[in-house]
């Protein structure tokens, strides 16, 4: 009982500044509906949104880590590329709870194209003409890209969340 009281007191002290946020759960059916809608628009910001959503799902990024992904987080020397094309991309992530960098592979999904991160990420990167910086810049920087291809801003979680909320209300009805 004493141990529990001490742990409880410590948790209350640590969590004093904790502000609860809503959790969003998305079903595969909804991802598919959103993917169809976004890829049919022909807009770069929509391709950005589906690329963000899929990479977040694929490598289990926390909502506050998603926008801060940088172009240089992809490790070119570790990608798997054959004569048949790109098989996987390697990336490094250090989450807020991680003491060290973690490495992930994002693989080509040949079975379910609509859920394939690479099939959405690669055209996005090509159209973005990125040379460095943040992979998911703000809409303003997306509309007015830097001449050097180095993106200095990133989409906040709040902005991304509002986009998803709008999509749920309009697409996943």
């Amino acid at each position: 009982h004493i141990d529990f009281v001490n742990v409880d007191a410590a948790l209350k002290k640590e969590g004093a500044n904790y502000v609860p946020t809503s959790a969003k759960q998305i079903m595969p059916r909804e991802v598919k509906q959103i993917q169809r809608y976004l890829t049919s628009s022909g807009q770069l910001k929509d391709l950005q949104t589906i690329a963000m959503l899929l990479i977040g799902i694929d490598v289990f990024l926390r909502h506050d880590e998603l926008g801060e992904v940088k172009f240089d987080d992809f490790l070119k020397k570790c990608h798997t590329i054959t004569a048949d094309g790109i098989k996987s991309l390697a990336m490094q992530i250090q989450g807020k709870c991680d003491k060290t960098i973690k490495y992930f592979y994002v693989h080509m999904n040949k079975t379910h194209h609509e859920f394939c991160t690479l099939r959405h990420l690669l055209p996005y990167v090509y159209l973005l003409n990125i040379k460095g910086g943040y992979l998911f810049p703000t809409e303003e920087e997306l509309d007015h890209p830097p001449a050097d291809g180095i993106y200095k801003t990133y989409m906040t979680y709040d902005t991304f969340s509002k986009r998803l909320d709008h999509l749920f209300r309009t697409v996943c009805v």
Side-chain angles (χ1 to χ4, degrees):
H1 184 270
I2 300 267
D3 290 337
F4 173 75
V5 172
N6 290 341
V7 170
D8 189 47
L11 289 174
K12 284 180 181 173
K13 182 178 177 185
E14 283 182 23
N17 295 324
Y18 174 73
V19 177
T21 57
S22 63
K24 291 180 178 50
Q25 296 155 357
I26 186 167
M27 302 298 290
R29 170 183 45 83
E30 295 165 328
V31 174
K32 195 173 191 174
Q33 290 172 318
I34 289 170
Q35 182 271 345
R36 284 184 186 153
Y37 178 82
L38 292 174
T39 55
S40 68
S41 77
Q43 294 187 34
L44 187 57
K45 81 171 194 169
D46 289 342
L47 189 55
Q48 177 192 52
T49 302
I50 191 62
M52 282 182 79
L53 179 61
L54 291 174
I55 201 166
I57 292 168
D58 219 7
V59 296
F60 308 102
L61 289 175
R62 295 170 56 92
H63 62 81
D64 52 346
E65 298 164 346
L66 189 55
E68 296 179 25
V69 172
K70 292 187 175 178
F71 185 66
D72 292 337
D73 289 339
F74 289 87
L75 309 170
K76 294 175 189 161
K77 63 184 176 185
C78 298
H79 298 334
T80 307
I81 303 172
T82 67
D84 295 331
I86 297 173
K87 302 295 181 195
S88 64
L89 298 181
M91 67 182 297
Q92 62 183 6
I93 300 168
Q94 185 167 2
K96 85 175 197 183
C97 298
D98 297 328
K99 292 182 175 54
T100 60
I101 293 173
K102 306 294 182 202
Y103 300 93
F104 294 88
Y105 277 97
V106 179
H107 296 279
M108 183 65 72
N109 183 338
K110 293 184 178 183
T111 309
H112 300 285
H113 302 278
E114 65 273 19
F115 300 125
C116 181
T117 299
L118 296 183
R119 290 182 190 274
H120 298 85
L121 183 64
L122 294 174
Y124 168 73
V125 167
Y126 175 78
L127 292 170
L128 192 61
N129 196 26
I130 189 171
K131 306 289 186 256
Y134 292 102
L135 189 57
F136 303 115
T138 61
E139 192 171 343
E140 183 174 331
E141 195 173 26
L142 199 62
D143 291 341
H144 301 85
D148 62 0
I150 312 284
Y151 288 84
K152 295 166 185 61
T153 65
Y154 64 89
M155 186 188 310
T156 64
Y157 171 70
D158 187 51
T159 301
F160 183 62
S161 181
K162 286 178 183 172
R163 278 191 191 179
L164 287 181
D165 286 344
H166 172 74
L167 288 166
F168 279 118
R169 286 191 309 277
T170 57
V171 178
C172 302
V173 186

